Amino acid sequence: MGLTKQQRVVVNQAPPYVALKANSKLPTVLTVATSDPSGGAGIEADLKTFTTHKCYGLTCLAALTAQTPQDVYSIHEVPKKHFELSLTSVLRDMRVDAIKTGMLTKNSVEVLLEVLSAMEPAKRPFLVVDPVLIASSGANLMNDEAVVQQIKALAPLATLLTPNIHEASQLLGCKGGKLDLHSVDDMILRAKELQLKTGCPNILLKGGHVTWTDKKTKSTVTDVLYKANGESIVYESERCGSRNTHGTGCTLASSIASNLARGETLEHAVYGGIQYVHNAIQVGCDVLNPHITENGPINHVYAIKPPLLEMVEDLCYSAHALAISSDDNSSIINLDSDSRRSSSSTSSLVSQIRDSGHFFEYLISDSRVKPHWESYVNHEFVRRVADGTLEREKFKFFLEQDYAYLDNYAQVHCLAASKAPTADDLDKSVDIVTKIKTEMNKHREKMMTHFAIDDMKHFDKIEMGTALRNYARFFDDVSKHGSWAHLCAALSPCLMGYGHALRNVQDHVTVDKNDIYYAWCQDYLAPWYVESMEEGLILLDRICQMTDDWDTLCDIYAAVCKLETEFWDAALNYKG
Amino acid sequence: MGLTKQQRVVVNQAPPYVALKANSKLPTVLTVATSDPSGGAGIEADLKTFTTHKCYGLTCLAALTAQTPQDVYSIHEVPKKHFELSLTSVLRDMRVDAIKTGMLTKNSVEVLLEVLSAMEPAKRPFLVVDPVLIASSGANLMNDEAVVQQIKALAPLATLLTPNIHEASQLLGCKGGKLDLHSVDDMILRAKELQLKTGCPNILLKGGHVTWTDKKTKSTVTDVLYKANGESIVYESERCGSRNTHGTGCTLASSIASNLARGETLEHAVYGGIQYVHNAIQVGCDVLNPHITENGPINHVYAIKPPLLEMVEDLCYSAHALAISSDDNSSIINLDSDSRRSSSSTSSLVSQIRDSGHFFEYLISDSRVKPHWESYVNHEFVRRVADGTLEREKFKFFLEQDYAYLDNYAQVHCLAASKAPTADDLDKSVDIVTKIKTEMNKHREKMMTHFAIDDMKHFDKIEMGTALRNYARFFDDVSKHGSWAHLCAALSPCLMGYGHALRNVQDHVTVDKNDIYYAWCQDYLAPWYVESMEEGLILLDRICQMTDDWDTLCDIYAAVCKLETEFWDAALNYKG
């Protein structure tokens, strides 16, 4: 047989810094639970969670289900003997740092109890018991009362028990299966009762199903950790409207077990678990077929970057040749995975803007951006600076926050410089850093002159307010997960908006010319600032050439305009 | 019951940039295979792989094993009816972009074949068939001949078949079960035969088990992709000595299926899969108990960053209070997870160095660093510049590569600036960027004067050599995965080493004073450079205060000194 065209590709070695830590101990977590083929819950959700927590996942299957978020179609129990061999061989041959249990069967609890009881207490792994009594899908594998008894038998060996309120009521044997909860203190009391009744030293009573009637707490999810020493921690998170809640219980217990295996304290392990689950709910994902109307699964992989994308960005990536030779090379050449999702912009408009260069106008007239841009550049804060009616302490608070902001802004520009596609882009970013430093000096001078500050240390001690933290957090997030173009889009509204906001009031600057307010207004109308804005326009025209996914650029622009508005809101509402 | 001490913690919302893409379509991959409770292979390895590829994992279990890398202790086949319900419900209710099959049973292949055949070809997901005939653990679930027949039945529906050479020989019915392979061309021919015999349009014949006798290819692993159009791609990777090879087959097929689900071309999906598996082997992990002498599993999570670490670094992280109140706060306050691994440095030496500040001396006298540092600062390249015997074209090549290096070096300093813990650290990094730009100008001038280059574009067109690529890759890797301290350690050898290397030959600079070689030598002996080195010493003394894990700092220093040596080696060995 003859041979046709061949290509030869040399595959890269492992990332050299990561490989420095070769064969190091990876924390390990074993899930003892049931399989959910649809991947949202059960050992599938557990393994996904262990993996995203950089832990090594082990499994021991008590039963298999055939289910989707729609329904449970079949349940198959694993024979006791097989379960036992599976558990004992893993515990004997593999290092196990933590165990998480989920939906169990009578047989599996018996075996687990026996095996764990036979271990020296000091050598026992952390044990997180998620006392699954009713799966969110409605199916349960055995008689409730029997499970309650089994869980209670397991509890004294556990590090942590994580019931939701339905499970708590069953474990406590409440009449009518309802916990009577009126306040957070009631939750703490219930958790304490659970500790006494089960013998598990630490209880996490989950409040996801509690519907508080109080207006103030209505939109809050409250989880209570009651600890062995009698202290309690109340974790409050904002309830989000997402319908992607399939598998939250499994994921929370798995995340906590992973964090414990990593050596975190219980308090932090729980914090990390709660935030991880909330993030996974909030980001969500679309994986159901259209006819399914049930709750979808959470997104375990919201923070993951796919390895092939990392490889393609790698200077040593050796498979570029394949991209050129392959029939369909569109997917790999475009490094921005999300740009594949298509763009809503029509192609004629796109090419018109790309040719003539008015991407800034496109952005601020986008329906998502426009309301936030308008609130931002027509802000009452600026009007009240211009006419001199803003309270001095509010302006002082603003200047301090803005000083801390600029510090962060400089740092993010350094990051943008490091991602810059050309040396020229890098130089420009570094220039901006220098300009920001100049602006910071001006802020310092203004404050020292007008607010009688004589200690330079004052500026290092500025505490970041909520609006600033949220803003800085956005920068941090786009720095970590976004492209250079996305980062440039996020950095733009500050530069462009201040100029436009001041231009909007320039005919109404009635404050005295010796006032600090006057000087502040003039700063953003000065020629050097207008020049910087011109550079900013050019940059926006440049980044719109680099991606087809203008939707995301608009989303970013809108989000940051909102953050700018909130920044001035915070100053306006400052109360000393 | 009374309540004791309570604490209240507000949990952060999801990362705001990541959350912009809420509820977007996550690529989905279904594994139809067997469970390996020890987590190295089977659906466990598959799910780990899907997760690290930012895909949504689905499962359909054909059988369960009780096994560890040591042995297979039990096998339990899933009833046909349950398997069928599990498969059909997932395919009906969930979007499935790709399917990967592993170890199957007779029943499961029958059902799978029936279900897939009933689908419209255009609506069938990508199908990657890993034709597992003999697991690396030695157990097989059914009579070989029966499996061979089943796999052959499945093959025409598959996108890709991924046999190793043992499986290929069985599929081809080779006598004695051996493929006769003498060259890569033989592999291509075998792959072509497999395509004909199985009817699967694309064949990936894996060469991991081929032991080439040829010296040149001995340390190379060769995998051959034979495509539907008759073209072939030969992927060559360096064979690594790691014993962590349990689960490579499952992982490769899962990685390829994930990449296909993500929309990559087959050629790139395979490239990505091969490199991912090689990385996972090379990094490896230690999860076996000490009595086990078998091959350990690969490290699927080498590139993952645990969510809690990300949260703690987040400006909005709200659980700092817990760190202070908890009994054991050591784990969470230290952001550098690896520093927990303990340090080999004795504590009295550590405090002595921390007090007096001689971390540079500590580094270069460390046994890992010393040989590389010595080769670096006593390099023949420098001696031959100093005495003027270095060939001009080698020096020109060096200057060009060094120019491109400085471009990258500036970029990495920008990144260090963005990670800088204080404003002062940021300023210093930005200063260095400015100095690097000056040095780049000097390089340009030298080259334009001495090598008759008059086109400025020459400098933008410099092609990076292998040594430079490897060096830049190290920077990139530590930038992505390392701390600020680690990055500073990586940036240090360039600054310190050039100064020391030139100091080592300063009494032997015999080249003419008008020679470019002379000017180059003097640059690194000049007062401004010595001053920069003083700053460099201070920085090293600063970073050693920030971590207890000096071992990793030494590993980094050693690795970069080696890269510097190789950089000069490349110039010395340059052949036009």
Side-chain angles (χ1 to χ4, degrees), chain A residues 435-451:
Chain A
K435 278 185 190 159
I436 295 168
K437 292 278 168 180
T438 312
E439 209 178 329
M440 285 173 78
N441 286 337
K442 279 191 196 160
H443 271 54
R444 260 206 306 264
E445 279 165 28
K446 281 197 190 98
M447 294 194 56
M448 293 175 93
T449 317
H450 293 272
F451 293 104

Side-chain angles (χ1 to χ4, degrees), chain A residues 182-230:
Chain A
H182 300 287
S183 67
V184 174
D185 281 352
D186 286 349
M187 284 188 77
I188 299 174
L189 286 171
R190 292 310 192 175
K192 187 174 179 177
E193 261 180 77
L194 281 163
Q195 186 198 57
L196 281 173
K197 276 225 178 175
T198 63
C200 181
N202 303 292
I203 307 289
L204 179 65
L205 181 56
K206 298 181 289 190
H209 296 100
V210 183
T211 41
W212 302 107
T213 44
D214 181 9
K215 249 191 187 169
K216 223 183 97 197
T217 47
K218 214 173 175 177
S219 59
T220 306
V221 176
T222 305
D223 301 305
V224 169
L225 173 65
Y226 193 82
K227 296 192 289 180
N229 64 3

Side-chain angles (χ1 to χ4, degrees), chain A residues 4 7 17 23 44 56 59 68 74 82 93 95 230 236 268 283 286 314-315 317 469 473 477 486, chain B residues 4 7 11 17 23 38 44 59 68 74 82 93 95 230 234 268 283 286 314-315 317 469 473 477 486:
Chain A
T4 50
Q7 257 188 296
Y17 169 76
N23 295 318
E44 284 77 4
Y56 184 91
T59 62
T68 69
S74 167
H82 182 89
D93 294 350
R95 174 169 48 76
E236 291 180 5
H268 278 95
V283 178
D286 172 3
D314 189 326
L315 275 168
Y317 178 64
R469 277 184 193 277
R473 188 172 191 238
D477 194 19
H486 287 180
Chain B
T4 50
Q7 259 188 295
V11 175
Y17 169 75
N23 295 318
S38 69
E44 284 78 4
T59 63
T68 69
S74 166
H82 182 88
D93 294 349
R95 174 170 48 77
V234 177
H268 278 96
V283 178
D286 172 5
D314 189 325
L315 276 168
Y317 178 65
R469 277 183 194 275
R473 187 173 192 236
D477 195 18
H486 288 180

Side-chain angles (χ1 to χ4, degrees), chain A residues 205-344:
Chain A
L205 181 56
K206 298 181 289 190
H209 296 100
V210 183
T211 41
W212 302 107
T213 44
D214 181 9
K215 249 191 187 169
K216 223 183 97 197
T217 47
K218 214 173 175 177
S219 59
T220 306
V221 176
T222 305
D223 301 305
V224 169
L225 173 65
Y226 193 82
K227 296 192 289 180
N229 64 3
E231 292 179 8
S232 55
I233 298 175
V234 177
Y235 300 90
E236 291 180 5
S237 17
E238 210 171 293
R239 189 178 291 279
C240 51
S242 169
R243 290 162 42 81
N244 292 79
T245 54
H246 186 65
T248 46
C250 304
T251 303
L252 178 61
S254 292
S255 174
I256 295 171
S258 301
N259 289 335
L260 289 174
R262 298 195 63 78
E264 305 294 349
T265 61
L266 181 64
E267 295 84 343
H268 278 95
V270 171
Y271 178 92
I274 292 172
Q275 192 181 322
Y276 176 70
V277 170
H278 274 259
N279 291 355
I281 293 173
Q282 219 176 311
V283 178
C285 61
D286 172 3
V287 295
L288 300 176
N289 273 333
H291 67 277
I292 304 292
T293 52
E294 302 305 309
N295 283 359
I298 63 177
N299 188 333
H300 290 94
V301 294
Y302 65 87
I304 300 289
K305 182 152 192 190
L308 188 53
L309 287 189
E310 291 266 358
M311 289 173 203
V312 174
E313 287 172 10
D314 189 326
L315 275 168
C316 292
Y317 178 64
S318 49
H320 283 295
L322 298 180
I324 296 153
S325 79
S326 71
D327 302 328
D328 170 29
N329 57 24
S330 58
S331 63
I332 201 76
I333 283 181
N334 193 333
L335 302 186
D336 185 351
S337 63
D338 300 303
S339 63
R340 282 178 222 153
R341 277 193 309 157
S342 87
S343 154
S344 67

Side-chain angles (χ1 to χ4, degrees), chain A residues 1-9 11-18 21-25 37-40 44 48 52 54 56-59 64 68 70 73-74 76 78 82 89 92-95 185 188-189 192 230-236 244 262-265 268 271 275 279 282-283 286-287 289 291-292 297 301-302 304 306-307 310 314-319 323 328 331-332 338 340 411 414-415 418 420 427 437 469 472-473 477 480 482 486, chain B residues 1-9 11-18 21-25 37-40 44 48 52 54 56-59 64 68 70 73-74 76 78 82 89 92-95 185 188-189 192 230-236 244 262-265 268 271 275 279 282-283 286-287 289 291-292 297 301-302 304 306-307 310 314-319 323 328 331-332 338 340 411 414-415 418 420 427 437 469 472-473 477 480 482 486:
Chain A
M1 282 190 279
L3 293 174
T4 50
K5 197 183 149 202
Q6 300 178 25
Q7 257 188 296
R8 185 179 154 272
V9 180
V11 175
N12 239 344
Q13 287 200 274
Y17 169 76
V18 169
K21 292 165 195 165
N23 295 318
S24 56
K25 283 194 192 301
S38 69
E44 284 77 4
K48 291 175 186 186
T52 59
K54 207 184 178 76
Y56 184 91
L58 302 153
T59 62
L64 311 182
T68 69
Q70 176 94 318
Y73 303 98
S74 167
H76 169 68
V78 174
H82 182 89
S89 63
R92 186 184 57 243
D93 294 350
M94 313 296 287
R95 174 169 48 76
D185 281 352
I188 299 174
L189 286 171
K192 187 174 179 177
E231 292 179 8
S232 55
I233 298 175
V234 177
Y235 300 90
E236 291 180 5
N244 292 79
R262 298 195 63 78
E264 305 294 349
T265 61
H268 278 95
Y271 178 92
Q275 192 181 322
N279 291 355
Q282 219 176 311
V283 178
D286 172 3
V287 295
N289 273 333
H291 67 277
I292 304 292
V301 294
Y302 65 87
I304 300 289
E310 291 266 358
D314 189 326
L315 275 168
C316 292
Y317 178 64
S318 49
D328 170 29
S331 63
I332 201 76
D338 300 303
R340 282 178 222 153
Q411 210 147 11
C414 288
L415 194 102
S418 78
D427 290 346
K437 292 278 168 180
R469 277 184 193 277
R473 188 172 191 238
D477 194 19
K480 276 185 186 140
H486 287 180
Chain B
M1 284 190 281
L3 294 174
T4 50
K5 199 181 145 201
Q6 299 179 26
Q7 259 188 295
R8 188 178 151 269
V9 180
V11 175
N12 239 346
Q13 287 200 275
Y17 169 75
V18 169
K21 291 162 193 167
N23 295 318
S24 54
K25 283 196 194 298
S38 69
E44 284 78 4
K48 291 174 186 185
T52 59
K54 208 184 177 79
Y56 184 91
L58 301 153
T59 63
L64 311 182
T68 69
Q70 176 92 320
Y73 303 98
S74 166
H76 168 68
V78 175
H82 182 88
S89 63
R92 186 183 56 242
D93 294 349
M94 314 295 288
R95 174 170 48 77
D185 281 352
I188 299 174
L189 286 172
K192 187 175 180 176
E231 292 179 8
S232 54
I233 297 176
V234 177
Y235 299 90
E236 291 179 4
N244 292 79
R262 298 195 63 79
E264 306 294 349
T265 62
H268 278 96
Y271 178 93
Q275 191 181 323
N279 291 355
Q282 219 175 311
V283 178
D286 172 5
V287 295
N289 273 333
H291 69 277
I292 305 292
V301 294
Y302 65 87
I304 300 289
E310 291 267 357
D314 189 325
L315 276 168
C316 292
Y317 178 65
S318 48
D328 170 30
S331 61
I332 202 76
D338 300 302
R340 279 177 224 154
Q411 211 146 11
C414 289
L415 193 101
S418 78
D427 290 346
K437 291 279 168 179
R469 277 183 194 275
R473 187 173 192 236
D477 195 18
K480 275 184 188 141
H486 288 180

Side-chain angles (χ1 to χ4, degrees), chain A residues 119-125:
Chain A
M119 287 175 110
E120 261 182 68
K123 288 190 176 166
R124 237 178 254 149

